[in-house]
Amino acid sequence: MTDFEKLRGTWKQIAYERDGVKEPLDEKGWDPRVTFAGNAFMVTLTDGSIPIKGTFELDATREPKSID
């Protein structure tokens, strides 16, 4: 099974980090879910809106593996 296949599906977002800075968990009740399909992703909020979507790359050479 490839790393892309292991990510496939919808995941509950429990943490957020941007540019090395960890952000606090959301307290607004948005309960974000991230869906991965191939190298594409989208974040869906409880109201059904999609504030973020795009593509990503996996780097299996790093330890731990990373997503960009």
Side-chain angles (χ1 to χ4, degrees):
M1 180 177 285
T2 68
D3 288 333
F4 281 108
E5 292 170 332
K6 291 176 184 176
L7 278 175
R8 184 178 22 208
T10 301
W11 298 72
K12 180 179 180 178
Q13 184 175 329
I14 61 169
Y16 176 73
E17 182 176 330
R18 182 175 180 159
D19 298 326
V21 177
K22 292 182 180 181
E23 299 289 332
L25 290 177
D26 181 34
E27 298 176 357
K28 297 179 181 180
W30 289 347
D31 195 27
R33 305 287 172 158
V34 182
T35 302
F36 293 95
N39 73 329
F41 74 94
M42 69 178 177
V43 176
T44 306
L45 304 180
T46 54
D47 67 1
S49 64
I50 301 172
I52 304 169
K53 63 181 176 178
T55 59
F56 65 94
E57 293 181 22
L58 295 177
D59 185 352
T61 64
R62 294 181 63 177
E63 186 59 42
K65 297 176 185 179
S66 68
I67 297 176
D68 188 22

